[in-house]
Amino acid sequence: MEDNSNIFAVEVRNLSIDYGKYPVLQDLSFTVRQDEAVLLKGPSGCGKSTLLHVICGLIPNVISANISGEALLYGTKIADLTSPVRARNIGIVFQNPETQLFCDSVEDEIAFGLENICMPINEISTRIDEVLELTQMQDFRYASPKELSGGQKQRVILAAVLAMRPKILLLDEALSQMDISSKKILIEHFKTLRSRGHTMLMVDHDDILAEIATRIINL
C-alpha cells in the first residue's frame, strides 16, 4: 500500500460501535494527517481503546462487535485490508504487554513479525540490534519475557512493533509501567519518528505523551 499526500493517513467516518449491550462509540468522525501525533482523551470506558482496535483492524476482523460507519487507511477501508498489509502499515502497543507476548526469548519476540513478512535474515538481525539499543534491552536479548518486569515487557513489545517500522503507530497506555528515564528516551524517539513523517494516535491517562501531541481529541 502506498500513501498519498492528497489523502489522510487515517479517516474515521460516522463510526458507531457496540458490543451488544450498550454503545461504546456513536457517530464519530475525524481525520488524521500524515506526521500528526494525536492524543485521545476521555474517561475510562469512553471507547479510546475500542477506537484503536478499529484502526488496527482487530475490530471486526478478530474482535466481534456491532459496527456502522468506517475507518480508512490512506483512503482504503481498514476492514478490507489483509493482515500483512495492516502489519506493514500499522503497529499497536497495548497497555497490558501480556496480551502480545508469545515467544520464549526477547530476540524471538522481536523477530516474530519480521519473519512473518519474510524479511531477509540479515535485515532481521540489523533491526533487532537497532530496537534493542533504542529500548535499552540489549542485556535481555536472550531472556524469557516471562521473567521481565512490567516496564521491561512493555519495552519488548514496543521494540517488536518499532522493528516493523510501521507508518502509523498506535500507543494504548504503552509506557504506563516504565520508569521515567525509559519514558523520556522513548518520547524523544517518538518526536524523531513524527519529524520523519510517521503518524501516531496515543492514549495516555498520565499525559506523559502530551508534549509530542500536535492535537487532542476528546471522546
Side-chain angles (χ1 to χ4, degrees), residues 171-183:
L171 304 173
D172 190 358
E173 298 283 348
L175 311 184
S176 61
Q177 300 182 51
M178 296 184 196
D179 59 46
I180 190 64
S181 62
S182 297
K183 290 179 180 180

Side-chain angles (χ1 to χ4, degrees), residues 5 9 21 25 43 49 54 66 75-76 108 111 129 132 156 186 196 212:
S5 59
K21 295 182 179 180
L25 295 170
S49 294
V54 172
N66 299 316
T76 301
D108 289 344
D129 291 340
L132 283 174
V156 172
L186 291 168
R196 293 175 179 173
I212 62 172

Side-chain angles (χ1 to χ4, degrees), residues 48-62:
K48 301 184 295 295
S49 294
T50 292
L51 178 58
L52 295 188
H53 290 165
V54 172
I55 294 172
C56 75
L58 284 176
I59 296 176
N61 293 291
V62 177

Side-chain angles (χ1 to χ4, degrees), residues 11-150:
E11 184 172 5
V12 174
R13 298 175 178 170
N14 306 115
L15 183 67
S16 296
I17 296 177
D18 69 76
Y19 295 109
K21 295 182 179 180
Y22 57 89
V24 179
L25 295 170
Q26 290 183 289
D27 199 29
L28 178 66
S29 296
F30 66 91
T31 57
V32 180
R33 299 187 308 274
Q34 188 72 30
D35 80 12
E36 274 198 288
V38 176
L39 181 63
L40 303 173
K41 299 283 290 181
S44 296
C46 72
K48 301 184 295 295
S49 294
T50 292
L51 178 58
L52 295 188
H53 290 165
V54 172
I55 294 172
C56 75
L58 284 176
I59 296 176
N61 293 291
V62 177
I63 301 172
S64 178
N66 299 316
I67 181 170
S68 63
E70 58 190 9
L72 298 92
L73 176 70
Y74 301 114
T76 301
K77 291 182 181 180
I78 295 171
D80 294 340
L81 298 175
T82 63
S83 294
V85 170
R86 293 200 305 271
R88 286 186 175 93
N89 285 277
I90 305 172
I92 185 168
V93 182
F94 299 118
Q95 180 180 10
N96 181 5
E98 301 290 350
T99 63
Q100 289 181 275
L101 292 169
F102 306 103
C103 299
D104 294 330
S105 73
V106 169
E107 180 181 62
D108 289 344
E109 200 70 56
I110 298 171
F112 182 78
L114 303 174
E115 291 171 345
N116 280 347
I117 61 172
C118 301
M119 184 168 288
I121 294 176
N122 60 335
E123 178 64 16
I124 291 176
S125 179
T126 297
R127 293 199 186 189
I128 290 174
D129 291 340
E130 175 186 291
V131 296
L132 283 174
E133 180 178 1
L134 171 65
T135 56
Q136 296 187 320
M137 291 297 289
Q138 306 99 310
D139 293 342
F140 301 92
R141 184 178 190 128
Y142 305 109
S144 168
K146 297 178 182 178
E147 300 172 353
L148 303 178
S149 68

